[in-house]
Amino acid sequence: SVSFYTARVPCFAPITNENLQKIGPHLQSASELLIPNQRLDVIAYSCTSGTVALGYEEVAATIRAGGRTDVPVVTPITSAISALRRLNVRRISLMTPYIDSVNQAMKEFLYMANIEVLNIGSFCLESDLDMADLSPSAIYKAALETCAPDAEALFISCTAIRAVEVLEQLESELKRPVLSAIQTLFWESLRQSGYQGPINGYGSLLRVTD
């Protein structure tokens, strides 16, 4: 009962805050490619660090400049914040593949949303290709090492990494919510589109119904 369509934007290496900001001007043309003149219930920009670097308001305004002025715009970091609030979580551990300057920008973004980042675990990668090459087993091991004992949840950032494949296993081991960027992006996109049913196999968040 749900259909989704994709368009791509350029990515600039290495992954730094400055290069992430270069993606911004390409968002309008990408949004214009999404089934023109047909109904869309929501548009999702699938880049966590890119949203942090540009700011949500700029991302949303540029996407809507493509003509979908009335369509909700969802991003990984803002959907993560919505999910954490839905779960009544305020103190998290953060795991990323990024270099430290990108991590610190993300920590500040979350802090401004009243989400406290207790600690950060990172692969410290500069290449999006290297991020995509991370194995689920490596992500699983790093997540276990990152999650602090007093964290209420673990958030795994970056839509390029395959964290969604190990969310169920991590939650079983850590006994708390484990969220990933792709998971929260789909969760909020589905809710914004009107779909309210549970989805099994991809972490407890997607089983939450409103």
Side-chain angles (χ1 to χ4, degrees), residues 67-84:
R68 286 345 205 297
T69 57
D70 58 342
V71 177
V73 174
V74 173
T75 74
I77 190 66
T78 52
S79 66
I81 290 167
S82 295
L84 291 168

Side-chain angles (χ1 to χ4, degrees), residues 98-134:
Y98 315 127
I99 61 175
D100 187 59
S101 57
V102 178
N103 289 335
Q104 293 306 314
M106 185 157 297
K107 180 180 179 179
E108 178 66 18
F109 195 101
L110 290 164
Y111 173 80
M112 295 301 293
N114 295 314
I115 304 295
E116 181 183 2
V117 176
L118 301 180
N119 66 303
I120 302 174
S122 178
F123 288 96
C124 300
L125 300 175
E126 291 187 329
S127 166
D128 61 309
L129 297 177
D130 291 338
M131 295 176 190
D133 280 341
L134 288 170

Side-chain angles (χ1 to χ4, degrees), residues 187-210:
W187 171 76
E188 186 167 17
S189 295
L190 289 168
R191 270 58 186 172
Q192 290 277 6
S193 72
Y195 182 88
Q196 300 293 332
I199 299 172
N200 296 316
Y202 302 98
S204 58
L205 176 67
L206 283 171
R207 293 192 292 273
V208 172
T209 57
D210 296 324

